Amino acid sequence: MSRQIGPIHHLMYDKIHYQESITQALLRAFEAGLQEDIQQKMPEIAQGELATVIDFSNVHGWLEGQVKLAERRYAWTVSKLLKRGVSEQEISQIVKSCAIDRRPEEIIDAVDALEKLSQILLDGMPCDQVVEIHDASTRRISYSVENQVHAPYWLELAEDPELFYRLRRAWIETWLEGSGYEFVLVEAAEAGPLFAIQLKAEQESESNAATEQARAAKARELYQPQCDHEH
């Protein structure tokens, strides 16, 4: 049995907690008695230092369970709020407010923007490879997210998975405000939507070709398998 946990495990734990922080913000914003309901419906996300709560005999399985729990708690909360008369716009406002404190001091280019997003937002386990880079340059990076990573949690509640992506888009647009970059939906495909982060038209400038190639390679490295299934 290995008792080793590395940076990728801590990163995943942080992303799980960030996802849960959005859920908690929604629960606090709307006094609808949901805090007690969710406690009865499903377990809470693990708290405390990772080394004190993780199952060292099954590191990967434990983290994956926490990922699924965070996704399920978020979807359940949004669905319940809608059923109790809270509008999607009101929910979106709370989700967007959560992005403000996580804005980076600087975004160097489009690749850097996606790198920073990958440190915050939860998209399954790294080895699931649900994020695919389609093209990348310093001015624009396009990528898709396999629909199955998020959709099941919404479908089991009879909610449209597109609701998740609308809220995600609202978060990213708020996060990018003031950076000179914008977030766009390129194509809504059945397998998963295709998005792009790109330099706003008024910010366009010339880039060095070698730099473009290096940054594109760096972007693709982000989504190589990193999970350790032996732990």
Side-chain angles (χ1 to χ4, degrees), residues 76-108:
W76 183 90
T77 299
V78 171
S79 178
K80 283 294 184 181
L81 288 172
L82 290 170
K83 287 178 171 60
R84 296 190 181 193
V86 179
S87 70
E88 181 179 331
Q89 183 178 9
E90 290 174 304
I91 292 171
S92 182
Q93 287 300 318
I94 300 302
V95 171
K96 290 193 290 186
S97 72
C98 293
I100 295 173
D101 290 340
R102 297 305 296 265
R103 282 178 183 153
E105 293 183 4
E106 180 185 27
I107 291 178
I108 299 171

Side-chain angles (χ1 to χ4, degrees), residues 136-194:
S137 72
T138 57
R139 296 184 299 273
R140 184 179 189 273
I141 185 166
S142 65
Y143 67 99
S144 59
V145 179
E146 183 183 323
N147 207 26
Q148 278 303 106
V149 72
H150 301 295
Y153 307 103
W154 300 82
L155 291 173
E156 69 184 16
L157 299 167
E159 297 288 357
D160 185 351
E162 286 302 311
L163 174 57
F164 169 85
Y165 289 109
R166 289 196 297 271
L167 295 174
R168 169 70 66 90
R169 181 175 181 174
W171 189 100
I172 296 176
E173 287 174 343
T174 301
W175 184 79
L176 284 171
E177 284 179 5
S179 70
Y181 287 83
E182 61 185 351
F183 182 74
V184 296
L185 174 63
V186 179
E187 181 183 358
E190 184 176 345
L194 177 64

Side-chain angles (χ1 to χ4, degrees), residues 110-111 113-114 133 135-137 139-143 195-198 219:
V111 174
L114 187 57
I133 305 298
D135 61 74
S137 72
R139 296 184 299 273
R140 184 179 189 273
I141 185 166
S142 65
Y143 67 99
F195 301 111
I197 297 173
Q198 61 191 30

